[in-house]
Each structure stands twice: as structure tokens, then as C-alpha cells.
Amino acid sequence: FIKIYFIQGELIMKVLVVGTGAREHAIADGLKDDVELYCYMSKVNPGMSKIAEFKQGDEGEVEKVAEYAAEKGIDIAFIGPEAPLGKGIVDELQKNGIKCVGSTQSAARIETDKSFMRKLFEDYEIEGSLIYKVFDNSEDVSKFLDEFDRDVVVKPVGLTGGKGVKIVGDHLKDNEEAKEYSCEVIDNVMGGFAQVIIEERLIGEEFTIQAFCDGKHLVPMPAAQDHPHAFEGDVGAITGGMGSYSDVGGLLPFLSQKNYDKAVKIMQDTIEAIAKEAEPYKGILYGQFMLTSDGPKLIEYNARFGDPEAMNVLPLLKTPLVDVCKSIVDGNLDTVEFENKASVCKYIVPDGYPETEYAGELIEVDEVAIEKLGAKVFYAAVSAEDDGIHLSGSRALGIVASGESIGEAEKVAEKACEFVKGNVYHRRDVGTAELVNKRVEHMKEILN
């Protein structure tokens, strides 16, 4: 049962969005017209602070978040980032009688403990897995890599903000360098575990499917493709994501309905397994897949919306987000509708990102001009201060546009990027015909 309030003659709920980035801004933007909105954020997000009552504080201090939620009489809390989920924020909020769009600490292990995720696939014979091993010492790592005759991917077991993964043939020259990095992960307890996962390197095209989950039912969203490399042409360091696109029909130019459905089936089997192994999974499940010659393979799960992929799908949502939230917490999730459009997100970052000398500098954002073009601004790792918007060392803001095609959306998003001034950079190639066709041709080569 959810408490409701009367404001100006209308029934309205109190909803709290936890988190401070562009993903959370997109969530808040999707809720703002239908709820009494509150936010709990570590920095003052320039967009969220305009549309919600907020408190600035560490989202990882879950008891304080729960105290604030109880004080404000919050009905539903929507948890944006992964770190509070890993610290048990949902468990803490539920103790205070607050329902949550977000997974409990044990269910969130699907992201916070990659070895748990891989073992789940083994124990419940879920399709789409890959060859992997978990190690806690350099001797076993060395022995395995000496005998493994393929390129590998090295991952910390725990959370590293999307920046701990290194791939042989991309960031690492060979398996010898993979040994060195694996030892670094173990010795430095990277991600909170003195362990490392070594996986076979898959060849194909990556794609993401995000889904709403109510513990039993899973409703998938349009597929999206992220661009994690820092610089144009898919070169440079792996980042939290430099931009993404989705296509008309909810698929991607290289992704068939058959393979989309296979990926969704993997996700459905996963939430059924989590319910048996841990607790019912409520919230958002993000599946990162590689489309290979053998179909979709699961690279990893996130226990929340992707960033930037949340910005592709949430502006296309036709079903009110508050209604989806109610269905999730009440366990009666059914049909969710999206506009049949394409979308393109381009991330504005400080020059030189992920290494930058411009943290702390002011930037200028002409929101009015961007919105006149039909695009949206979602603020990320910036802070609103008395003199304006300041950069941090991380991604600054996402510019998102939708259209009848990827090309149409890309042109609007690219034009909108001109209205952000300062020592900033963005990947102009995200969503362009040239880059999308490159993905399509690559997939054709693999399948032939």
C-alpha cells in the first residue's frame, strides 16, 4: 500500500531519487511532472536542483539517506548509482517502510560481485556465458595464462566505476601484460576484492538491454550501444561511456529481433535464478552483451540504469515513469510503452578526459538554445555554485536528441553540443552514419 497526498486537488506521491549524475537527472526528469520530487545527492546537480527539493550528502551513508527519506515521508525511493546498492541502501530504506526501485544488497551482487554472477550462470545453466576463471594469487594467474591460447579480458571482481576492465589487444599488448595487470588488481584489492576475473575475449559487437524488474516479471527497453573509448574512432582509454544511440523499433542496425529476444531470455532466466539464490530482484537490470557468431553472450550485468544508456530510453518512455515505479514495487509490472524513435546521446567531458587539467573550471551551458533545437541536457559530474557550473575531472553532461532515424537524432545532438562552451570535448562520431555502418559491416564479417 502506497501513501498518497492531495496537492492542488490531485493525488500525488513523494518520490526520492538517490544519486547525483546524468543518469539520476534523467530519472528525475521523467518523474518531475507526476510526483512531489526529492533528491539526495553528493554534489548539487544543476538540473536536479531546479526540479526537486534536495539534500546534499554522501549517498553511500545509507542510514542518513534513510533518515532523510523517513523525515520527508517518502513513498518510493529510486536508487540511481551502484555503490549505495552494494552498501545495502534498499535494505535500510525498507527497514523504514520505504519501497524502492532498486535491488537489495544480496540481489545487487549481480553487479557488485562478478564471481557471483558467473557462478549463477553455471549453477542454473543459463545460456550466454563464456570461459572464465576467478583468481586470488599470481601463481595461478600465470599458470592459467601460459596455457590459455586466446586473448583475454581482465576484470576486478568488485566495482570500479566502469574503468577497471582491460582487454588484450586493446589496452594490454599480450597475455604477459595481462598477468601484470591481474597481479596489480589482486595486490591493490581493486574494487574491494583481492581477486581478479579473467575471461575469454569475445569478438563481435557490444550492445545493451536494460529492463524493468518487479521480482518476477521483466520488461525490456529498447537496445542501445555505448561508446566507451575516450576518443573518436574508438581509440583511447575505456571510460564510463562517451555516448550512445538507440534505433527505431527498439533494435540496432546490426541486432535482429531473434538475437534481441535471446538476450532478453538470458536476463529473464537470470532474475529467476537470483530469486532462488538470493532475493527477488526489483529495480533495473542492465545487461551488457556481445553479439558473436554464436549469438549474444553476457559480458556483465549492472544492477541499475546505464549511464549514458538511461538517457537514450527514458526520454522515449510513453508510460509515465511513476506508474512503472508503482508497478515495480507492487509486483504487478506489465506492459511499458516507448515512442518508436531513435535517440543519440553525446557526452561533454573536460578536454583530455579521462586525464584532464581542467577540473574546477567554469563552463557555459545555453540550455534555452539546446531545448529550442529539441534536445535535452542531463548534467553529470559537475557542481552548481554561486558563480556557475564547474567541471570535475569526470564526465560533465549528456546532450540527448531523438528523431525518426539515428541520423536525424545525431544531427540535432551534434548541433546542440555547440551551445556548451569551455575547455570541453565530445566524440563527434557517436551516432554518425560512418560509425554505425562500421558496426554493421563488422558484424557482417563475423557472421559470414
Side-chain angles (χ1 to χ4, degrees):
F1 176 74
I2 298 170
K3 299 187 296 293
I4 50 180
Y5 300 83
F6 285 93
I7 293 183
Q8 296 180 340
E10 295 183 0
L11 297 175
I12 194 161
M13 291 171 43
K14 291 187 172 186
V15 177
L16 173 68
V17 176
V18 177
T20 192
R23 167 183 50 219
E24 291 76 30
H25 186 185
I27 293 167
D29 184 70
L31 290 165
K32 70 179 189 297
D33 294 331
D34 302 308
V35 305
E36 186 177 338
L37 188 61
Y38 295 80
C39 296
Y40 198 103
M41 47 182 146
S42 57
K43 290 183 178 179
V44 179
N45 182 297
M48 296 166 72
S49 62
K50 291 178 185 176
I51 59 176
E53 181 177 329
F54 69 92
K55 181 177 177 64
Q56 187 175 0
D58 184 349
E59 303 115 349
E61 294 180 349
V62 298
E63 294 86 357
K64 290 185 178 179
V65 179
E67 286 173 13
Y68 176 74
E71 173 191 325
K72 295 297 179 180
I74 297 299
D75 301 303
I76 295 177
F78 200 131
I79 315 305
E82 64 274 20
L85 292 169
K87 291 182 177 180
I89 190 169
V90 169
D91 308 70
E92 193 65 31
L93 285 161
Q94 288 179 343
K95 285 180 194 173
N96 288 269
I98 297 159
K99 297 188 177 186
C100 296
V101 178
S103 57
T104 60
Q105 188 173 35
S106 65
R109 282 185 292 161
I110 198 72
E111 175 174 10
T112 61
D113 183 352
K114 294 182 182 68
S115 60
F116 168 80
M117 182 269 286
R118 286 296 174 202
K119 191 169 187 302
L120 203 68
F121 270 61
E122 279 186 3
D123 292 347
Y124 291 87
E125 298 181 345
I126 300 171
E127 292 187 11
S129 193
L130 44 75
I131 298 170
Y132 80 100
K133 295 285 183 182
V134 183
F135 299 98
D136 61 9
N137 66 84
S138 58
E139 292 79 9
D140 289 343
V141 167
S142 184
K143 183 179 178 183
F144 173 76
L145 288 175
D146 284 342
E147 296 173 357
F148 197 68
D149 61 356
R150 280 173 276 172
D151 289 347
V152 297
V153 179
V154 181
K155 297 180 178 181
V157 168
L159 298 175
T160 55
K163 300 170 187 175
V165 176
K166 293 200 176 181
I167 303 167
V168 170
D170 196 340
H171 317 92
L172 305 168
K173 187 171 81 171
D174 52 29
N175 282 4
E176 286 300 313
E177 286 196 2
K179 288 181 190 178
E180 294 174 15
Y181 180 60
S182 297
C183 295
E184 181 184 330
V185 171
I186 294 169
D187 292 345
N188 293 328
V189 197
M190 197 180 295
F193 293 81
Q195 292 177 306
V196 67
I197 288 185
I198 298 179
E199 300 174 348
E200 64 173 314
R201 181 183 181 182
L202 298 172
I203 303 299
E205 282 294 329
E206 289 188 26
F207 67 96
T208 297
I209 297 177
Q210 301 166 107
F212 299 110
C213 307
D214 70 358
K216 289 184 179 179
H217 310 102
L218 179 145
V219 176
M221 307 181 213
Q225 187 176 45
D226 183 24
H227 297 68
H229 289 86
F231 306 121
E232 290 171 17
D234 296 327
V235 298
I238 292 285
T239 72
M242 292 293 294
S244 48
Y245 67 89
S246 68
D247 201 2
V248 174
L251 302 175
L252 294 169
F254 58 84
L255 179 66
S256 68
Q257 186 69 53
K258 179 182 176 181
N259 282 318
Y260 176 92
D261 291 344
K262 282 183 178 179
V264 171
K265 175 66 163 56
I266 290 168
M267 296 173 74
Q268 180 67 50
D269 290 346
T270 300
I271 67 163
E272 290 174 10
I274 294 171
K276 295 173 184 174
E277 194 70 22
E279 294 181 72
Y281 188 98
K282 290 194 173 190
I284 311 299
L285 183 63
Y286 166 115
Q288 183 183 5
F289 293 90
M290 181 76 78
L291 182 57
T292 72
S293 57
D294 294 324
K297 302 286 185 180
L298 193 281
I299 298 173
E300 64 183 19
Y301 281 123
N302 291 333
R304 35 70 185 182
F305 268 119
D307 186 346
E309 297 97 330
M311 293 181 273
N312 291 106
V313 297
L314 285 170
L316 300 182
L317 191 60
K318 287 175 69 176
T319 304
L321 183 55
V322 64
D323 291 348
V324 180
C325 292
K326 284 189 275 188
S327 297
I328 288 171
V329 300
D330 290 341
N332 56 13
L333 186 62
D334 195 4
T335 305
V336 177
E337 290 187 280
F338 291 86
E339 290 186 58
N340 189 28
K341 290 186 176 182
S343 65
V344 172
C345 173
K346 301 199 179 200
Y347 243 122
I348 307 288
V349 303
D351 276 336
Y353 173 78
E355 302 296 329
T356 182
E357 59 183 280
Y358 300 107
E361 286 195 359
L362 278 165
I363 58 170
E364 295 177 19
V365 183
D366 190 339
E367 292 183 34
V368 173
I370 291 169
E371 288 171 5
K372 277 184 179 177
L373 289 171
K376 281 178 168 285
V377 180
F378 294 117
Y379 288 99
V382 295
S383 58
E385 299 178 23
D386 292 342
D387 60 345
I389 298 169
H390 288 254
L391 293 169
S392 71
S394 193
R395 298 176 296 170
L397 56 95
I399 300 287
V400 184
S402 61
E404 300 301 322
S405 67
I406 296 170
E408 182 180 304
E410 188 278 328
K411 285 181 174 61
V412 176
E414 183 61 31
K415 180 66 177 175
C417 288
E418 296 176 9
F419 294 100
V420 181
K421 306 294 185 185
N423 287 309
V424 293
Y425 162 83
H426 73 279
R427 279 190 59 172
R428 293 169 297 172
D429 61 347
V430 172
T432 60
E434 182 181 2
L435 195 58
V436 171
N437 290 337
K438 178 182 171 183
R439 304 280 195 265
V440 173
E441 291 304 314
H442 181 224
M443 205 63 237
K444 284 181 182 176
E445 290 175 16
I446 290 167
L447 295 176
N448 289 337

